[in-house]
Amino acid sequence: MFGPVPVYVGTTPGVDLTISSFTWQQIGTNTVRYNLQVCNIGTGGSGPSELHVYYNRPSSPVQGDVGDQFAYLTPLNSGGCTNDVFNRPGTPAGTY
């Protein structure tokens, strides 16, 4: 199952953070590398944010659930983007 996934953003007017790119690749026999690009498509600058990645949860995460991996995002101006990479070693076969 994939998406739609709710994204919770702070209350700064005009901010609209979105995952604009999500790709993956297998590295070796059991590591998966996830590449994500987050962009601010809104009209205002964002404050610091967090990007959380969840693996094979039995139910959708709710606001405040800490991801299996996460990254701190620096503030993004309107139109700004940032890239993050997550490596998942020991990935069970067939789960990606």
Side-chain angles (χ1 to χ4, degrees):
M1 277 190 203
F2 182 77
V5 178
V7 176
Y8 299 97
V9 180
T11 58
T12 305
V15 174
D16 191 0
L17 299 180
T18 184
I19 296 173
S20 60
S21 176
F22 178 84
T23 61
W24 65 271
Q25 66 189 82
Q26 184 172 345
I27 308 294
T29 57
N30 66 349
T31 296
V32 176
R33 175 173 290 156
Y34 299 96
N35 300 286
L36 294 98
Q37 183 179 61
V38 176
C39 294
N40 180 0
I41 61 172
T43 58
S46 74
S49 304
E50 295 179 5
L51 173 63
H52 291 253
V53 177
Y54 303 88
Y55 302 120
N56 297 325
R57 298 275 173 119
S59 59
S60 296
V62 296
Q63 187 174 7
D65 282 354
V66 176
D68 296 305
Q69 288 185 301
F70 67 93
Y72 294 106
L73 303 180
T74 58
L76 290 173
N77 291 325
S78 178
C81 296
T82 187
N83 296 303
D84 280 288
V85 176
F86 296 92
N87 289 316
R88 183 182 182 201
T91 305
T95 62
Y96 51 88

